[in-house]
Amino acid sequence: MNLSINIKETDILLEISVEGEIDAYTAPQLRERLFPLSEKNGVNMEINLSGVSYMDSTGLGVFVGVFKNVKANNGQFKINGLSGRLQRLFEITGLSDIIDVNSQIEGEVK
């Protein structure tokens, strides 16, 4: 399955949009693109997952690693646009208590 990663960088914000499936096959590609960005000092990173149809534990592992890097470098990290299924995945694993996540309901981010 293909994975699309679009990165838009401004002076104050790094907006990343991910589309497709995040699994053992595509997670290394995601990690390769996000980790160097997460090591910038004071980065403000927002990741939109509204285009992600499936994610397994390898995807969660990538986001935990990126989150840790961003925090270690005094940055901000947020995940937006979670479907109900992805929101539940973050809740079950307890990551929604650690990482700033927002779900997507009826096309609107809450």
Side-chain angles (χ1 to χ4, degrees):
M1 181 54 62
N2 290 332
L3 185 69
S4 172
I5 304 164
N6 297 306
I7 301 169
K8 179 181 172 187
E9 188 169 4
T10 65
D11 291 339
I12 58 169
L13 182 62
L14 188 60
E15 293 178 281
I16 300 163
S17 177
V18 182
E19 296 180 7
E21 295 183 359
I22 305 171
D23 56 21
Y25 178 73
T26 59
Q29 176 188 354
L30 183 64
R31 178 179 162 74
E32 184 178 297
R33 293 285 305 276
L34 297 186
F35 262 68
L37 301 171
S38 70
E39 294 172 337
K40 293 181 178 183
N41 191 45
V43 69
N44 183 6
M45 184 182 289
E46 286 191 14
I47 301 176
N48 185 313
L49 298 182
S50 60
V52 173
S53 57
Y54 172 82
M55 182 166 59
D56 66 13
S57 61
T58 55
L60 286 175
V62 170
F63 290 119
V64 168
V66 170
F67 169 76
K68 286 181 177 181
N69 274 353
V70 168
K71 289 300 183 181
N73 289 292
N74 302 310
Q76 301 281 333
F77 184 81
K78 182 181 223 176
I79 296 178
N80 294 316
L82 294 176
S83 66
R85 182 176 293 186
L86 292 182
Q87 179 74 34
R88 181 128 169 85
L89 185 60
F90 276 82
E91 288 172 358
I92 288 171
T93 58
L95 291 174
S96 61
D97 295 333
I98 300 165
I99 298 174
D100 186 3
V101 296
N102 291 306
S103 63
Q104 180 180 21
I105 297 176
E106 296 178 18
E108 296 181 8
V109 176
K110 77 171 191 179

